[in-house]
Each structure stands twice: as C-alpha cells, then as structure tokens.
Amino acid sequence: MALFAAERRSRPRVRVDSEAVIVQAGVRIACRSRDLSSTGVALICAEPVALGELLQLELFLSRGADWLVIEGSVVRTTPAEGGHMLGIRF
C-alpha cells in the first residue's frame, strides 16, 4: 500500500490565496483561489456550482494588475470548510 497517491496532474500547481469571482448566468459569486496551474484553478466559493457548468472566471493575481478574465468549466466540486471547493479547467 502506497503512502501517497500518484499525482495525476500534468501541469505543476502554485499555491495562491487571492480574490476570485465566478460569473454564472449573470450572477457574480465571490470566491478565493487556492491553487493555480496553466490549465486550471481550485476555488473555495460560498455557493455551489454544478459539475460541467461553463462560467466566466475573474482572478486577481497581483496589486496594480488588471483582473485576469477567462472562461472555464467546473470539473470537480466537493464540500469544503467555508463552502464548496471547485476545480475549474480553462
């Protein structure tokens, strides 16, 4: 029995803790980013979002910079402390 599960991600992730907003059917939902890679992001959001949902994502990456606006789809959703953890693929 292995102590650690094999990493399935093909791209490295970077731990981030910044503001994020998802826009779903015109409704803006405030979130926090948890980690980021070149192909997706993990978010903690107060509101649930359906698996497979297409949405617009706004990420605040650094002071003095514009918000990064990108489209993505929900590929994972699990309960988390403070709400729901969403895996978004770009």
Side-chain angles (χ1 to χ4, degrees):
M1 180 174 168
L3 293 176
F4 299 100
E7 180 65 49
R8 297 182 319 189
R9 290 173 180 82
S10 61
R11 302 285 185 246
R13 294 176 293 164
V14 177
R15 179 83 109 172
V16 292
D17 180 21
S18 64
E19 295 176 59
V21 175
I22 56 174
V23 182
Q24 178 188 26
V27 176
R28 297 175 63 81
I29 301 170
C31 305
R32 297 289 305 174
S33 60
R34 181 176 162 204
D35 61 49
L36 177 68
S37 76
S38 63
T39 59
V41 64
L43 302 175
I44 303 294
C45 302
E47 302 294 325
V49 178
L51 193 63
E53 188 75 29
L54 298 175
L55 46 81
Q56 178 179 302
L57 172 65
E58 301 172 6
L59 290 170
F60 181 74
L61 298 177
S62 66
R63 295 197 189 286
D66 291 333
W67 286 69
L68 173 64
V69 179
I70 193 164
E71 292 183 353
S73 61
V74 180
V75 295
R76 181 172 40 100
T77 178
T78 57
E81 186 174 330
H84 304 270
M85 185 165 66
L86 306 179
I88 311 293
R89 180 178 296 148
F90 308 136

